[in-house]
Structures are given as C-alpha cells and as structure tokens.
C-alpha cells in the first residue's frame, strides 16, 4: 500500500494515519489544492487592499498644500503662491477623486484577473488556449468599440494634464460655457443660454480654458485727433486709481498699464490699456476699467474734443458730389450746339 503513494510524503502520512487508500491518493486534491486556492485569493485581496490604501492616501493628500507628484499635472501651468496654496480648489479634489477611482478600478481588475488565472491553473486548466481566445476577443472588442476606447484614453489624459475642471469656463469648439461635470467618457458644458452640452472626450480637438491661471484685460478706446499724450496720462491715472481700490486690489496681479497708441484709423488714434488679473475677476474688471477710463476722459474734457475732432475734418471737406469736375465749363460749352456760351 505504501508503494501506491510513491514519493508523495503527504500521501504516505495520510495512508499511515488512516489506512484508506483512496483518501491517501486524493490527499493532494482534498487538502493542498484548496489551501493553495484560498492562499491565492487571500494574497490577491491583501495586495488589492494595500494598493487601494496607497491610492486613497495619494488622493486625500490633495487637501494639503503639498500635492504628490503622481497627481500633479504633467505640465504645471501656473506657479502657486503661498497664499494660493492654502486654498485647494474644489476642482483639484474632484480631479484627484476621479484619478483615484480610475486607478482603483484598474488595480482591482488587474489583481483579480491574475488571481483568477492562477486559480484556473490550480484546477488543471490549460491557460494557453484561454489566453489566446481572450486576446482574440479583446482585439474584436477593441475594433468594435474604438470610439469608446478613444474617449476613455482622452478623458484619462485630460485628467492627468489638468486641462479643465468643474466650474471652469471653456471653449471646446461648438460649445462655450461652464463645465458642470467631468468624466472619463463625457464632459458636460452649460452655455450662456442654459443649454447643457454632452461632449465626448475623444471628439474634443482643442480646449480654450478661460478660468485657469490668470487673464488679461485689453481695452481699446478711440480718442480721435486729440493729443495722445494727454489722453494717455489721464487714462493711466484712472487705471491706477482702480487698481488701488481695496475691493479690487487683490484681483490685479500686475499694475495696469496704458501702452499708448495701438493703431491709427480714419477716425484718429486708438489707445490700448492692458491689465493682468485673476481669471475669475477678469469680466468684472473689464467693465470697471472701461467705465473708469471713459469717466476720466469726460472729467478732463477730452471726450468733447474727441467728438469735435471727429466731426471737424469731415465737415471741412465738401462731399464729392458737390465738387465740380475739372474742365466742366468747357465740356458743357462743347456740348452746346454751335459752341455758343
């Protein structure tokens, strides 16, 4: 009976203890294989738990000013100051949660797939045909769901590069508005008329983000034919006064500047004023600066001179239909019969 177990130690021990031949010959299947399968499952769950814990810690660390390198954008666009670093925007938290969710799903699928293949191998399945069939099915699904894969990959890179987030004002081509939700496949944008656009990430060719980093206020004011230096001086004083106001002082990233004559037209010169501001305050400061500049020109009496300079040169030039053509008298004289005057 001991020869039936050959060199199997476990079989020999079970045979010696029980004296049952079939139990001894099946000892490996009854005792070892279940333990190996349970061990594979336990180790897979432990690895999954450890990886999920590491991913959660990376995502939660975005609530602090120091952000882990893994969750940073691939290209930093704006340098964050100490004051800005104390406030972590909502979009960063949502972005970190989205990346963490993707990583957790990927880790779970990878770990359990490997564990399932190991378990099937323990039961004696030939994994080579199974892997070949899975590869063929994967290729077929890839060809049939090209747009879905394209959307998912584009959404993943959009999150990694931090192209835009919830609350940003973006221009994605046909739709321009505020981003309401960001996903791996779909981005929703609500435009100025309240229409909610569902845009596939794979179809977004270019994105103009109007809320990221800083913005530039550019105001062009025509001054006609008045003295440009005087107008520039008045406008520069008004712009600096707006930047010094307490409610707008923190919204200007740089001192506003009146750069001077931007272009010359038939109506006179055009003066340009620029100001570097925060992205959120740019629309408001555009109107505030424009109103302050026009009020300053009115107070200095330049607006009246601008209107007079526009009307003056035109009124001095008679219309073309009132100007008699040269040699008109001679031509009329020639047209009369006999050349009589």
């Amino acid at each position: 009976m001991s020869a039936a177990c050959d060199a199997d130690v476990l079989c020999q021990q079970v045979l010696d203890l029980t004296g049952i031949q079939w139990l001894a010959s099946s000892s490996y299947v009854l005792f070892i294989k279940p333990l190996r399968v349970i061990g594979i499952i336990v180790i897979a769950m432990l690895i999954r738990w450890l990886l999920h814990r590491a991913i959660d810690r990376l995502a939660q660390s975005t609530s602090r000013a120091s952000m882990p390198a893994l969750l940073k954008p691939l290209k930093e666009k704006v340098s964050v100051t100490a004051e800005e670093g104390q406030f972590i925007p909502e979009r960063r938290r949502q972005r970190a949660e989205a990346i963490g969710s993707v990583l957790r799903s990927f880790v779970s699928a990878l770990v359990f797939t490997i564990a399932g293949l190991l378990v099937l191998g323990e039961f004696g399945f030939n994994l080579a045909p199974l892997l070949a069939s899975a590869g063929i099915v994967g290729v077929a699904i890839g060809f049939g769901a090209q747009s879905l894969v394209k959307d998912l990959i584009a959404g993943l890179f959009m999150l990694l590069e931090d192209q835009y987030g919830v609350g940003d004002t973006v221009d994605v081509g046909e739709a321009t508005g505020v981003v309401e939700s960001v996903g791996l496949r779909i981005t929703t944008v609500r435009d100025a008329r309240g229409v909610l656009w569902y845009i596939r990430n794979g179809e977004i060719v270019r994105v103009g983000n109007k809320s990221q980093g800083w913005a530039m206020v550019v105001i062009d004011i025509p001054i006609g034919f008045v003295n440009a230096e005087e107008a520039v001086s008045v406008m520069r004083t008004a712009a600096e006064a707006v930047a010094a106001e307490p409610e707008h002082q923190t919204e200007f990233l740089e001192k506003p500047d009146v750069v001077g004559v931007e272009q010359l037209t038939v109506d006179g010169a055009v003066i340009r004023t620029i100001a570097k501001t925060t992205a959120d305050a740019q629309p408001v400061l555009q109107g505030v600066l424009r109103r302050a500049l026009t009020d300053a020109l009115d107070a200095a009496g330049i607006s009246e001179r601008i209107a007079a300079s526009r009307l003056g040169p035109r009124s001095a030039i008679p219309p073309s239909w009132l100007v008699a053509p040269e040699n008109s008298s001679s031509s009329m004289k020639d047209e009369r019969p006999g050349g009589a005057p």
Side-chain angles (χ1 to χ4, degrees):
M1 295 177 63
S2 60
C5 290
D6 297 329
D8 193 343
V9 179
L10 178 62
C11 176
Q12 185 64 44
Q13 292 178 352
V14 173
L15 184 61
D16 294 340
L17 291 175
T18 62
I20 303 175
Q21 180 65 41
W22 68 268
L23 183 61
S25 59
S26 305
S27 59
Y28 182 80
V29 177
L30 296 176
F31 299 107
I32 300 300
K33 279 188 177 296
L35 291 178
R36 289 172 65 93
V37 171
I38 293 174
I40 291 172
I41 296 175
V42 171
I43 292 174
M45 295 183 66
L46 179 62
I47 293 175
R48 175 180 174 274
W49 179 81
L50 291 174
L51 293 176
H52 279 206
R53 181 178 176 84
I55 293 171
D56 291 338
R57 292 187 63 180
L58 284 175
Q60 292 173 2
S61 64
T62 58
S63 60
R64 302 190 297 269
S66 58
M67 190 176 183
L70 178 63
L71 297 181
K72 282 184 179 180
L74 297 181
K75 181 180 179 182
E76 290 290 347
K77 304 175 181 62
V78 181
S79 58
V80 181
T81 62
E83 294 181 358
E84 293 174 348
Q86 295 176 0
F87 175 72
I88 304 300
E90 181 68 14
R91 56 172 292 176
R92 176 178 288 187
R93 184 188 65 82
Q94 294 180 351
R95 173 176 167 271
E97 290 182 355
I99 295 177
S101 176
V102 173
L103 292 177
R104 285 192 296 269
S105 300
F106 176 76
V107 164
S108 298
L110 180 63
V111 170
F112 285 129
T113 298
I114 295 175
L117 292 176
L118 293 176
V119 169
L120 291 177
E122 289 295 327
F123 286 105
F125 285 90
N126 188 2
L127 298 182
L130 182 62
L131 293 176
S133 301
I136 295 173
V137 172
V139 171
I141 294 176
F143 276 109
Q146 294 182 63
S147 60
L148 177 60
V149 175
K150 180 181 178 182
D151 295 338
L152 294 177
I153 294 176
L156 179 60
F157 275 97
M158 179 271 298
L159 290 173
L160 291 176
E161 296 172 357
D162 194 20
Q163 297 176 6
Y164 52 83
V166 176
D168 285 354
T169 301
V170 298
D171 180 359
V172 292
E174 296 183 359
T176 300
V178 180
V179 178
E180 291 200 349
S181 65
V182 175
L184 281 180
R185 195 180 71 88
I186 292 293
T187 295
T188 58
V189 176
R190 189 176 296 276
D191 63 13
R193 297 185 177 181
V195 180
L196 190 63
W197 295 79
Y198 293 87
I199 307 168
R200 289 167 43 197
N201 294 327
E203 299 298 324
I204 299 177
V205 179
R206 52 89 174 167
V207 179
N209 194 330
K210 302 179 181 180
S211 303
Q212 199 169 55
W214 52 270
M216 185 68 73
V217 173
V218 180
I219 301 175
D220 291 335
I221 297 181
I223 62 169
F225 298 95
V226 302
N227 191 310
E229 293 183 359
E230 181 183 359
V232 168
S233 177
V234 171
M235 294 169 65
R236 181 175 287 114
T237 302
E240 292 176 354
V242 173
E245 295 178 359
E247 60 270 25
H248 302 305
Q249 193 170 9
T250 59
E251 297 173 345
F252 285 93
L253 302 181
E254 292 181 2
K255 184 179 179 181
D257 184 25
V258 181
V259 296
V261 178
E262 173 63 22
Q263 59 179 333
L264 292 173
T265 66
V266 294
D267 293 325
V270 177
I271 303 297
R272 170 163 292 185
T273 303
I274 61 174
K276 188 176 181 179
T277 67
T278 59
D280 296 336
Q282 190 257 2
V284 176
L285 291 180
Q286 182 120 9
V288 172
L289 267 178
R290 183 180 290 110
R291 184 172 61 252
L293 295 176
T294 53
D295 290 346
L297 293 176
D298 289 339
I302 299 179
S303 296
E304 297 178 359
R305 283 185 282 163
I306 293 175
S309 68
R310 291 177 178 175
L311 296 176
R314 290 186 176 182
S315 61
I317 302 175
S320 60
W321 57 274
L322 289 178
V323 179
E326 296 182 359
N327 303 325
S328 59
S329 59
S330 61
S331 62
M332 293 176 62
K333 181 179 179 180
D334 295 340
E335 291 176 359
R336 293 181 181 182

